[in-house]
Amino acid sequence: MPARAASSSPVREPRPPQIPRTLTPAGKVERHLRHDGKYLSLEYGAETLSMEDPDGVEDVEFEGCRFTQTAFTGVVLHRAGFADCAFGDTDLANLRAFNSRMFSVRIVNARMTGMQLPESGLRDVLVEGCRADLAGFRFAHLRNVVFRDCNLAEATFQSAGMTDVRFENCRLSGAQFSGAAMKAVRFRGCDLRGVAGLSSFQGAIVSSADAMGLLDALAAELGITVED
């Protein structure tokens, strides 16, 4: 029999970003990302960011910044840092940020299709109302992260470390969790049909309604054929 939670333990919302009331509009220099660039208390609008190096920029730091309808098209980051930042209606599709960090970050109504954050660290991050199908979090470390009302179809959390992570009303069909380590990971109101890596769900908390969606995936993983 699957384990049942004795009670619903209180959960903490991610710490919201602390963004200064007054921000400096990002100019041409701030929109062209450079190695070791430091970008503090800036307001980015509906522009497309560019890079000084076509192979990607290293050690870029954003702190206390707001991005609204900003496009990260083709951007490649190595060891980037985002602290106390907010993303609204941004285009993060196919952004690649390797071994990067997000602390106290809010991403709302963003396009994140194919976004890759391998070996990255996310803490106190809210992702809400986003299209994040095919997004990648391989070998990432997630702590106190909430995915809410998101399309995460075929996203991969392979070998990710996940602590106090919540998936609420998300589409996770075909998502990959093989090798993930879960601690206090909750699924509620989610489509879990066809998820892979069910053995990694040990330690997860799944609502009774969501658990029904795991049956087909469990049968397939055990080699069981279900027929009428």
Side-chain angles (χ1 to χ4, degrees), residues 17-30:
Q18 303 298 305
I19 299 176
R21 290 186 178 181
T22 303
L23 299 175
T24 302
K28 183 177 180 180
V29 171
E30 290 81 16

Side-chain angles (χ1 to χ4, degrees), residues 181-193:
M182 298 188 186
K183 181 179 180 182
V185 176
R186 291 173 167 82
F187 298 85
R188 180 170 293 277
C190 295
D191 179 0
L192 298 174
R193 292 174 295 177

